[in-house]
Amino acid sequence: MKDYQFFGVDDFLEDAAFRQWVFSPLLTDNEFWNRWLAEHPEKEAIVSQARQQLLEIKGTLQPLSENYIDQKVMQIVQQAQMLNDSAEQSLPVIRRLNPTWYYMAASVALLLGIFWVYRAQQKPELAPVAYTQLIKTAKQPLHEVANTDNSPKTVMLPDGSTVVLYKNSRISYPKQFATITREVYLTGQGFFQVQKKPDQPFLVYASGLVTKVLGTSFFVKAYEQDKDVLVTVRTGKVSVFAHTDKQAAMQKAVPELGGIILTPNQQATLVRADKRLVRSLVAEPQRVDGPQKLTTSFVFKQTPIANVFAALERAYGVHIVFDEELMANCTLTARLDDESLYKKLEWICAGTESSYEEIDGQIIITGKGCQ
């Protein structure tokens, strides 16, 4: 389950489960959020502000005619049916959902699409910034290390943190970090393992992105000739925001994480062509449950589906959203030890007449329930 206690307003605005609760709450959504707010009263003001902003966004969108919405929904339905028919040819074990669920899924997709178009118009341009320009902004003299070899090169930073520098990569950093923040500048690709110092945030400047951490491990890939800039989290939690963000100065200075929050197996991609920042899951999510890997078994015998999804969340650190009430009668009998996360999800969905998709770094399950 996602840890909402560290969320700010922007994090709630970008969270799919929170948006569902605001726009089209299910009974289980109301129960969860009412219980969560009762347990975290200090977050009531932030949640209220995020909820109000969402409602205002919905209210300020230009009205769409019923005919226009119907046409758009039908287009999405037709596309979904074509994709599903194609999928059935390659995976005959997965059965098609009934048309009612296509219509509901398409309606949600249309609403979220309108929301994200609006949000994109409000965000600052994520213009890439060249490495030579970035290092000119440094407040301290910098020492540079470059790697032109084929083999990765490990660099020890002044605070004991390390970065594995890959081929054709360079990193610049001061000989002694400032007392408030630890700042480094990267071009190319590096894997960082950062010493935990909550009162002294660690900042990586790469192209148009700033990656902020308190102590964790993550990859940054920011070759200037590549189409995209990529930040991928291995362990812990990081935040990513635009170098040109109006609130960037404040986000750098305070200990708390802001911007887009990434957790293990999530990544943020700066798409240079569109100047937009996208959060998603990595292509091959890895186990994050540490020593428990040796004892955790994915052998299920008539196991309630909620318990199955909970086991996946613990193992991979990925948030799975589904209608607990609708799928309350669904169970699974299967052995899924060796499969990847996505293969596990395919088998689970095949056994429960449901489907999944990855949205904003989360897994969304859609199904009609089980008798």
Side-chain angles (χ1 to χ4, degrees):
M1 185 63 66
K2 185 171 292 186
D3 195 347
Y4 288 105
Q5 63 177 317
F6 299 108
F7 271 40
V9 173
D10 285 348
D11 303 315
F12 281 115
L13 292 176
E14 294 171 349
D15 184 72
F18 183 80
R19 295 196 302 270
Q20 175 177 299
W21 175 51
V22 174
F23 288 128
S24 53
L26 301 171
L27 178 60
T28 52
D29 296 329
N30 287 326
E31 291 176 351
F32 170 81
W33 286 104
N34 289 336
R35 183 174 66 253
W36 189 86
L37 284 171
E39 295 172 353
H40 302 84
E42 74 282 0
K43 287 292 184 179
E44 186 172 351
I46 292 176
V47 169
S48 178
Q49 182 181 347
R51 182 181 175 87
Q52 185 60 35
Q53 286 189 25
L54 285 175
L55 294 174
E56 289 175 357
I57 288 171
K58 185 177 181 182
T60 55
L61 293 172
Q62 292 185 355
L64 301 176
S65 69
E66 292 292 333
N67 184 51
Y68 177 82
I69 293 176
D70 286 342
Q71 289 178 1
K72 287 296 181 183
V73 170
M74 288 305 299
Q75 289 176 12
I76 298 172
V77 170
Q78 291 170 1
Q79 292 173 0
Q81 288 173 331
M82 292 174 63
L83 288 173
N84 191 72
D85 290 341
S86 175
E88 282 185 332
Q89 293 176 6
S90 59
L91 291 170
V93 70
I94 299 179
R95 288 163 281 186
R96 179 170 17 187
L97 300 178
N98 64 46
T100 301
W101 284 99
Y102 276 122
Y103 190 88
M104 291 177 65
S107 300
V108 172
L110 180 62
L111 175 60
L112 291 179
I114 294 171
F115 172 77
W116 280 113
V117 167
Y118 182 90
R119 285 282 292 167
Q121 293 172 350
Q122 305 302 310
K123 288 192 173 184
E125 283 196 353
L126 291 161
V129 182
Y131 173 74
T132 53
Q133 292 176 284
L134 282 173
I135 59 178
K136 290 179 182 179
T137 65
K139 299 176 183 178
Q140 299 174 268
L142 299 177
H143 171 68
E144 183 181 84
V145 177
N147 184 16
T148 57
D149 297 333
N150 290 325
S151 301
K153 180 177 184 178
T154 300
V155 180
M156 180 72 72
L157 300 175
D159 65 336
S161 299
T162 60
V163 55
V164 178
L165 211 57
Y166 290 81
K167 184 180 179 181
N168 296 329
S169 301
R170 289 183 287 166
I171 187 169
S172 291
Y173 55 91
K175 291 185 178 180
Q176 188 66 41
F177 285 127
T179 56
I180 300 176
T181 58
R182 298 169 284 170
E183 300 183 332
V184 303
Y185 304 82
L186 174 75
T187 181
Q189 183 176 0
F191 174 64
F192 292 82
Q193 291 185 290
V194 176
Q195 291 289 329
K196 189 172 184 179
K197 294 187 177 182
D199 296 329
Q200 192 182 20
F202 188 98
L203 303 170
V204 181
Y205 298 86
S207 191
L209 291 184
V210 182
T211 303
K212 176 181 175 181
V213 304
L214 305 180
T216 184
S217 61
F218 59 98
F219 283 96
V220 177
K221 186 179 180 183
Y223 290 103
E224 295 189 0
Q225 70 272 19
D226 286 355
K227 294 189 301 181
D228 304 326
V229 179
L230 189 65
V231 177
T232 305
V233 177
R234 173 71 65 80
T235 62
K237 183 183 294 186
V238 312
S239 69
V240 180
F241 51 91
H243 184 71
T244 54
D245 194 317
K246 293 180 180 179
Q247 297 182 338
M250 181 192 70
Q251 292 185 14
K252 295 174 193 176
V254 300
E256 294 79 11
L257 298 179
I260 290 182
I261 305 295
L262 301 178
T263 53
N265 285 320
Q266 289 187 333
Q267 63 186 14
T269 305
L270 167 57
V271 183
R272 295 182 190 268
D274 299 337
K275 298 179 181 178
R276 60 190 175 92
L277 191 58
V278 179
R279 175 167 48 191
S280 62
L281 291 181
V282 299
E284 297 182 7
Q286 301 298 310
R287 297 278 295 273
V288 298
D289 47 351
Q292 294 180 358
K293 289 181 183 180
L294 300 176
T295 58
T296 300
S297 174
F298 293 103
V299 179
F300 305 107
K301 295 181 179 179
Q302 293 295 311
T303 305
I305 202 64
N307 294 350
V308 175
F309 289 145
L312 293 183
E313 287 187 325
R314 287 193 301 271
Y316 293 93
V318 174
H319 186 44
I320 300 176
V321 180
F322 66 103
D323 188 330
E324 294 186 26
E325 183 177 9
L326 183 67
M327 302 186 73
N329 295 326
C330 295
T331 61
L332 183 72
T333 298
R335 185 183 187 95
L336 305 174
D337 280 334
D338 298 329
E339 286 82 4
S340 67
L341 171 62
Y342 293 123
K343 182 59 69 174
K344 286 181 174 72
L345 288 169
E346 287 181 12
W347 282 108
I348 292 169
C349 289
T352 56
E353 293 193 84
S354 57
S355 61
Y356 79 91
E357 59 181 327
E358 187 263 308
I359 298 177
D360 193 29
Q362 302 178 97
I363 300 295
I364 310 298
I365 305 293
T366 304
K368 64 179 183 180
C370 305
Q371 301 298 324

